[in-house]
């Protein structure tokens, strides 16, 4: 990593002539504007940027980030509701046209620039540099509430060791006995299952609405602190620590999924559930919304637009084969979603058989699937404590992998932006990571109050649903159309020795941007206010939700206005100047951004 001007001056006296030579030579470098030195060369720490110990660590970290809770609780239900086996046609079509090209693009940006999303996108398109800031904001916001899911999983994991599982019967102090059923009751019943009451009345101690905060759930407060302590211990050394942890957190879920599948398919009714999951409804292929849902699922599952893939790739070696890694990550993610579908629907088929209910009455998605339906499944299995403990440990691993990557985006931004300055305050990177984790923990406290489930749902709706597609569209606009396919191809040729093939170039130029635009328009057209079950949020809560959403979206126009303001000339000249990339596209060594600094630094020393 290159050194900032402040580091250079601290080494000795620098003459005005030397500085002039420095500026002249910097200006001679392609794509560099001396007026933008503060933008293109933020102060960095003295040491070079760390890299993954092995390429396998990067692949596991990327797979761990992509394969998250959505693969388990979102994809199976979406597939079943969107045509069963027929849904796989639009799903894999969108994976080819949208998912793989965009993942390859983000890997290329991160690996070439060796910077996080903020500074990488600022170099690619200064006018839309706010997109990078927005990705950091949205990752930070998601960090504050995503760890709450890990907290719930920890709570269930610890309660899995009781002699009798606490969600197994209605004979507990928290149960409303007159309204409780010891088994799943189906969507048409007014009764609640014991597992539903455990979730609502024991875990959450849920109030009647967002207006009633109800005080902090101190058990969850302690577990949220534990969850953040786990995250900190896994990322405090950067890729050195994360690269070792992912060997377990990325691989263990597959052990549990295959174990559950082997166990489930032997249960009565399991085959009927799988058939229900896969039975194609070909007429669904004629519905535009099914194709939009497929594209959105691919997009959200892989994690495009959050900045995490750019951050992870920025720690790669310069010539790492990112095309191979892209295919491994994308296909593994999709295969895991299908595997999870078999696991989930084999269990749902079994429960439908046990309770003599239609599959429709049991099938659901979201937290209700993993914290209500599946715990009920374990209650009827032999050795339920073992299966429950394994399942919730799997959820912990799935959540932690995604949490690592989102937290790393925030840390990477601070290090890239402030470098030496921030290390003067915190002294060590470990203390900086501790500060970021502590801030996320404090912002997460409202989610573990008795009314926290409503805060959680509001945040998730307006952060993960509304904001993300805006960010994704402007990222694709900045990279594919403004920066241009020819420049992306040149970056990849420099790293891999050959340009991407025609398939990728055509997708970047036409198919991918148009698909993202269609998803964005569809998301806006289908917008509906947030709700939690039958509870409808008051108007003021939705206004707050839009305010949360705008925290990230507003970074885009503000960044554009700031870039236009700092340039010189007429308005048109300023805009044209802001559209020019500042990235060095003629790099030939392993650290293209260091080249800009090291060459002039040698010249300065020779004139001292």
């Amino acid at each position: 990593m290159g050194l900032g001007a402040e580091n250079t001056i601290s080494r000795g006296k620098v003459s005005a002539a030397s500085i002039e030579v420095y500026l002249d030579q910097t200006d001679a470098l392609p794509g560099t504007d001396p007026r933008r030195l503060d933008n293109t060369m933020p102060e960095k720490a003295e040491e070079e940027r760390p890299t993954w110990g092995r390429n396998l660590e990067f692949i596991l970290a990327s797979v761990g980030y992509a394969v998250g809770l959505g693969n388990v609780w979102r994809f199976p239900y979406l597939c079943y509701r969107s045509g069963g086996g027929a849904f796989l046609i639009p799903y894999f079509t969108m994976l080819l046209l949208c998912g793989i090209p965009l993942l390859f693009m983000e890997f290329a940006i991160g690996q070439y620039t060796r910077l996080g999303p903020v500074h990488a996108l600022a170099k690619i398109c200064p006018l839309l540099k706010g997109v990078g800031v927005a990705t950091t904001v949205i990752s930070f916001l998601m960090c504050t509430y995503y760890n709450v899911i890990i907290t719930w999983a920890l709570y269930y994991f610890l309660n899995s060791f009781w002699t009798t599982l606490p969600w197994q019967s209605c004979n507990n102090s928290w149960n409303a006995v007159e309204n409780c059923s010891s088994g799943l009751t189906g969507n048409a019943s007014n009764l609640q299952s014991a597992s539903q009451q455990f979730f609502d009345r024991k875990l959450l101690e849920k109030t009647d609405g967002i207006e009633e905060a109800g005080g902090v759930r101190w058990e969850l407060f302690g577990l949220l602190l534990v969850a953040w302590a786990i995250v900190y211990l896994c990322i405090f050394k950067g890729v050195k620590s994360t690269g070792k942890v992912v060997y377990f957190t990325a691989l263990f879920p597959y052990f549990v999924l295959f174990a559950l599948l082997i166990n489930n398919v032997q249960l009565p009714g399991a085959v009927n559930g799988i058939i229900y999951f896969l039975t194609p409804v070909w007429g669904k292929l004629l519905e535009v919304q099914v194709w939009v849902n497929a594209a959105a699922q691919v997009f959200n599952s892989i994690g495009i637009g959050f900045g995490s893939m750019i951050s992870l790739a920025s720690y790669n070696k310069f010539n790492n084969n990112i095309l191979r890694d892209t295919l491994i990550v994308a296909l593994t993610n999709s295969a895991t979603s299908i595997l999870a579908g078999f696991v989930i629907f084999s269990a749902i088929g079994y429960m439908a058989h046990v309770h003599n209910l239609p599959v429709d009455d049991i099938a659901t998605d979201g937290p209700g699937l993993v914290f209500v339906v599946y715990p009920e499944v374990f209650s009827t299995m032999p050795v339920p404590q073992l299966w429950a403990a394994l399942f919730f440990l799997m959820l912990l691993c799935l959540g932690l992998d995604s949490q690592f990557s989102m937290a790393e985006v925030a840390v990477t931004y601070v290090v890239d932006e402030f470098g030496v300055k921030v290390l003067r305050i915190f002294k060590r990177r470990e203390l900086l990571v501790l500060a970021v984790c502590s801030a996320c923990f404090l912002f997460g406290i409202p989610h573990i109050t008795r009314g926290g489930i409503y805060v959680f749902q509001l945040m998730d709706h307006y952060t993960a649903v509304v904001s993300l597609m805006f960010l994704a569209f402007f990222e694709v606009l900045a990279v594919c159309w403004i920066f241009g396919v020819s420049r992306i191809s040149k970056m990849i040729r420099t790293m891999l020795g050959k340009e991407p093939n025609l398939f990728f170039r055509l997708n970047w130029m036409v198919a991918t941007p148009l698909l993202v635009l269609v998803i964005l328009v569809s998301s806006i057209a289908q917008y509906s206010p947030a709700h939690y079950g039958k509870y409808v949020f008051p108007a003021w809560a939705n206004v707050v939700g839009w305010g949360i959403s705008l925290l990230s979206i507003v970074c885009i126009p503000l960044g554009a206005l700031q870039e236009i303001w700092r340039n010189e000339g007429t308005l048109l000249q300023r805009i044209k100047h802001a559209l020019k990339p500042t990235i060095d596209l003629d790099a030939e060594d392993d650290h293209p951004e260091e080249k800009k600094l090291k060459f002039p630094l040698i010249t300065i020393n020779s004139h001292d």
Side-chain angles (χ1 to χ4, degrees):
M1 186 66 68
L3 303 173
E6 183 175 331
N7 301 55
T8 307
I9 293 173
S10 67
R11 294 183 183 181
K13 295 181 179 179
V14 182
S15 66
S18 299
I19 294 175
E20 184 177 353
V21 171
Y22 174 81
L23 293 176
D24 288 345
Q25 291 179 343
T26 304
D27 193 39
L29 290 169
T32 306
D33 186 339
R35 287 179 296 140
R36 295 187 183 177
L37 288 178
D38 58 328
N39 181 46
T40 59
M41 294 178 287
E43 294 180 345
K44 306 293 193 297
E46 288 286 334
E47 67 272 9
E48 288 187 358
R49 192 180 193 84
T51 58
W52 298 101
R54 298 173 61 189
N55 178 245
L56 180 60
E57 295 176 4
F58 166 67
I59 293 174
L60 290 177
S62 301
V63 167
Y65 170 67
V67 176
L69 296 169
N71 296 72
V72 175
W73 75 29
R74 172 66 177 160
F75 175 84
Y77 185 77
L78 181 65
C79 181
Y80 149 71
R81 299 296 279 182
S82 302
F87 179 72
L88 297 179
I89 294 175
Y91 176 77
F92 279 107
T93 300
M94 295 304 172
L95 179 68
L96 284 173
L97 298 180
C98 189
I100 291 176
L102 284 177
L103 182 59
F104 189 26
M105 180 192 80
E106 288 206 345
F107 278 170
I109 292 170
Q111 182 166 300
Y112 187 88
T113 61
R114 293 179 62 79
L115 294 170
V118 175
H119 294 88
L121 292 172
K123 288 173 175 292
I124 283 173
C125 181
L127 182 67
L128 294 179
K129 63 184 180 182
V131 174
V133 179
T135 62
T136 302
V137 172
I138 200 172
S139 288
F140 179 82
L141 289 173
M142 289 197 70
C143 271
T144 63
Y145 72 83
Y146 196 85
N147 226 19
V148 174
I149 304 173
I150 299 175
T151 301
W152 296 343
L154 270 172
Y155 188 88
Y156 272 80
F157 175 74
L158 294 175
N159 279 276
S160 298
F161 296 98
W162 288 25
T163 304
T164 300
L165 294 177
W167 52 80
Q168 198 165 354
S169 73
C170 295
N171 302 321
N172 302 289
S173 59
W174 58 81
N175 292 124
V177 180
E178 70 282 357
N179 191 37
C180 185
S181 168
S182 58
L184 293 176
T185 59
N187 297 331
S189 173
N190 292 322
L191 295 176
Q192 282 188 315
S193 67
S195 58
Q196 182 70 62
Q197 289 201 357
F198 179 83
F199 183 71
D200 289 342
R201 302 172 68 90
K202 177 60 175 172
L203 170 72
L204 302 177
E205 295 184 11
K206 188 177 69 172
T207 61
D208 292 330
I210 196 170
E211 304 91 340
E212 302 176 38
V216 174
R217 284 277 289 111
W218 291 109
E219 286 177 285
L220 297 184
F221 180 91
L223 290 176
L224 181 64
L225 186 62
V226 170
W228 273 111
I230 294 171
V231 172
Y232 172 76
L233 292 174
C234 293
I235 69 172
F236 78 111
K237 288 288 187 182
V239 294
K240 292 181 180 178
S241 56
T242 306
K244 303 300 181 288
V245 173
V246 292
Y247 282 104
F248 176 76
T249 56
L251 296 176
F252 178 75
Y254 291 98
F255 165 77
V256 177
L257 285 173
F258 278 111
L260 283 170
L261 181 61
I262 293 170
N263 178 76
N264 289 0
V265 295
Q266 302 177 60
L267 300 173
V271 174
N272 293 333
I274 293 173
I275 292 173
Y276 215 88
F277 169 56
L278 291 178
T279 299
V281 182
W282 299 110
K284 288 283 188 179
L285 297 181
L286 302 177
E287 298 179 15
V288 174
Q289 191 55 45
V290 168
W291 292 81
V292 172
N293 287 344
Q297 173 62 23
V298 168
F299 208 92
N300 293 326
S301 179
I302 294 178
I304 303 298
F306 289 99
S308 296
M309 290 304 191
I310 295 176
S311 280
L312 293 174
S314 72
Y315 297 104
N316 274 340
K317 293 179 172 62
F318 186 71
N319 300 113
N320 177 59
N321 188 347
I322 47 175
L323 176 58
R324 174 200 61 204
D325 296 347
T326 297
L327 296 175
I328 291 174
V329 172
L331 295 178
T332 301
N333 175 66
S334 297
T336 306
S337 295
I338 296 171
L339 172 62
F342 280 92
V343 172
I344 296 300
F345 272 85
S346 59
I348 288 176
Y350 165 63
M351 293 305 293
H353 173 82
V354 169
H355 297 290
N356 195 27
L357 289 169
V359 172
D360 271 342
D361 279 5
I362 298 178
T364 185
D365 64 345
L369 175 63
V370 295
F371 293 114
V372 176
V373 174
Y374 235 85
E376 185 68 33
V377 174
F378 299 134
S379 300
T380 63
M381 287 183 177
V383 200
Q385 293 83 359
L386 173 64
W387 290 112
L390 286 175
F391 180 77
F392 291 114
L393 185 57
M394 178 192 76
L395 291 187
L396 277 173
C397 292
L398 290 173
L400 284 171
D401 279 331
S402 299
Q403 188 73 356
F404 295 161
S405 302
M406 289 187 290
E408 188 60 42
V409 171
V411 174
T412 300
Y413 164 69
V414 175
V415 172
D416 286 347
E417 176 67 22
F418 303 105
V420 173
K421 286 183 179 178
V422 77
L423 289 179
R424 284 178 185 157
I425 299 172
F426 292 101
K427 306 303 180 185
R428 299 171 61 88
R429 186 186 191 276
E430 292 87 337
L431 295 178
L432 168 62
V433 177
L434 179 62
V436 171
C437 291
S438 299
C440 291
F441 166 73
L442 293 175
F443 281 107
I445 292 176
H447 303 285
I448 45 93
T449 61
R450 288 174 175 81
I453 185 63
Y454 303 105
V455 181
F456 173 89
Q457 189 67 25
L458 192 72
M459 286 283 291
D460 187 53
H461 181 79
Y462 284 98
T463 303
V465 178
V466 177
S467 302
L468 181 60
M469 292 317 304
F470 278 96
L471 269 59
F473 172 73
F474 282 102
E475 179 184 320
V476 171
L477 176 66
V479 179
C480 294
W481 282 354
I482 298 177
F483 184 66
V485 173
S486 61
R487 291 190 177 109
I488 303 172
S489 300
K490 188 172 183 179
M491 287 167 48
I492 293 171
R493 185 181 69 230
T494 303
M495 291 186 291
L496 304 185
K498 59 181 179 180
E499 289 191 350
N501 59 35
L502 185 61
F503 168 80
F504 285 106
R505 298 201 302 273
L506 285 177
N507 273 287
W508 288 330
M509 192 178 299
V510 182
T512 301
L514 292 179
L515 279 172
V516 174
L517 179 60
V518 168
I519 299 171
L520 174 61
V521 172
S522 175
S523 300
I524 296 172
Q526 292 189 339
Y527 164 76
S528 60
H531 64 90
Y532 177 65
K534 295 180 180 180
Y535 174 78
V536 178
F537 285 85
W540 67 263
N542 284 296
V543 171
V544 171
W546 275 109
I548 294 168
S549 183
L550 289 173
L551 285 175
S552 57
I553 296 173
V554 75
C555 295
I556 300 173
L558 288 180
L561 289 173
Q562 193 267 348
E563 184 64 25
I564 292 171
W565 176 264
R566 71 196 298 274
N567 290 332
E568 297 177 357
T570 65
L571 178 61
L572 184 59
Q573 289 173 332
R574 293 181 181 206
I575 293 174
K576 286 183 176 178
H577 195 68
L579 291 171
K580 293 180 181 177
T582 62
I583 193 170
D584 177 11
L585 293 175
D586 294 322
E588 296 179 356
D589 56 18
D590 283 358
H591 305 286
E593 299 309 321
E594 287 184 31
K595 182 179 178 183
K596 297 181 182 179
L597 299 177
K598 287 187 174 180
F599 177 68
L601 288 178
I602 294 172
T603 305
I604 290 177
N605 291 338
S606 66
H607 283 75
D608 281 346

